[in-house]
Amino acid sequence: MRKTYSIAIHGGAGTIRRVDLPSEKEREYRKYLQLALETGQKILQSGGTALTACTEAVVILEDCPLFNAGRGSVFTHEGEHEMDAALMEGEHLKAGAISLVKGVRNPIRLAKSVLLHSHHVFLAGKGAEVFAREHELAFEAPSYFADAFRKTQWQEALKTDQIQLDHSASWPDNKFGTVGAVACDQKGNLAAATSTGGMTNKRYGRIGDSPLIGAGTYANNKTCAVSATGHGEYFIRGVVAYDIACLMEYQGLSVAEASNRVIHQKQPQLGGEGGVIAVDGAGNVGSSPILNQIIG
């Protein structure tokens, strides 16, 4: 087994101006991002798999109400929480994804259960919840997910009937958004994980890019592992995660070059905003424009 490994995480796209972020809130963000990063690092350092490292790093962020995933998920138009998540490993191209799930404490754990224990790749809604109970995953009451800031955000959105990214610049006390992780373990295997509560005031069972394999989440040992965050509709249309892998496979671009081309050149042409983190089989990390990472 080689000694190198790497992991990168994200807590969503968008910019929070320092003037708008109280120092104590900034410390909280950094605390949980660092904890998630170190959790994944310890797993990789001890010879654990990229799949496990990504899952457990994302669990940390799902349990933190500061992020739009798990406990901090935004409100739908109906005042509920519909969560999405996906997980993929690059050795065998196995994937698990879930969407429109309510009450599951850690959606990424449910995505992992789908990957490991289901003949299917993507489960949604009530069926996914039944699957979660059959595999004894933890559930929480609606009050667990009902963060006060998210509720205010939703109520303001209702007044104008707007659907918005939770990191919209119009919010001075911004929270971060969708969370994700990518990793390369000591065997050179890759994995990617993404989890989100979606968009504030979303309606009609809207699903973004996060749980869609190839759009918001993708991993292939031949190229890279990618987790995306941003305006999901545009990331779906651009098949962003797979497009990055394709640029590496067919044009020979590095993971950094491919990530930058898709996010800074191709996505703006569609009108989308957001970012990605990505890692290749050598442990090289690419990000556009944000990341937290450890390379060992």
Side-chain angles (χ1 to χ4, degrees), residues 11-148:
T15 300
I16 299 180
R17 299 183 303 167
R18 187 169 296 277
V19 68
D20 293 328
L21 187 64
S23 58
E24 62 272 17
K25 183 66 70 65
E26 180 180 357
R27 284 194 293 271
E28 284 294 292
Y29 281 131
R30 292 185 179 276
K31 172 185 173 182
Y32 283 99
L33 287 167
Q34 189 64 30
L35 178 59
L37 199 59
E38 291 175 354
T39 297
Q41 179 197 17
K42 289 177 182 177
I43 292 169
L44 296 172
Q45 197 171 43
S46 64
T49 66
L51 190 71
T52 300
C54 286
T55 302
E56 297 308 310
V58 167
V59 164
I60 296 295
L61 300 179
E62 287 181 337
D63 285 345
C64 174
L66 293 172
F67 300 92
N68 179 21
R71 189 177 185 183
S73 293
V74 298
F75 283 79
T76 68
H77 182 75
E78 293 77 18
E80 298 179 315
H81 306 277
E82 295 177 343
M83 298 171 287
D84 308 332
L87 185 67
M88 186 170 183
E89 56 86 18
E91 183 179 11
H92 305 292
L93 304 185
K94 292 183 178 180
I98 57 96
S99 190
L100 305 177
V101 166
K102 301 175 185 178
V104 176
R105 180 187 177 105
N106 292 112
I108 198 64
R109 290 201 191 281
L110 177 51
K112 187 176 183 181
S113 291
V114 174
L115 185 155
L116 294 176
H117 306 301
S118 173
H119 294 296
H120 307 302
V121 170
F122 201 151
L123 303 181
K126 296 294 184 181
E129 293 163 22
V130 169
F131 185 86
R133 294 188 187 280
E134 288 179 351
H135 289 82
E136 301 182 341
L137 296 182
F139 276 72
E140 299 288 350
S143 59
Y144 172 83
F145 303 95
D147 177 76

Side-chain angles (χ1 to χ4, degrees), residues 142-162:
S143 59
Y144 172 83
F145 303 95
D147 177 76
F149 173 83
R150 296 296 190 197
K151 187 172 184 179
T152 299
Q153 192 179 40
W154 164 62
Q155 290 172 335
E156 290 297 321
L158 282 175
K159 293 177 183 178
T160 57
D161 197 28
Q162 294 295 308

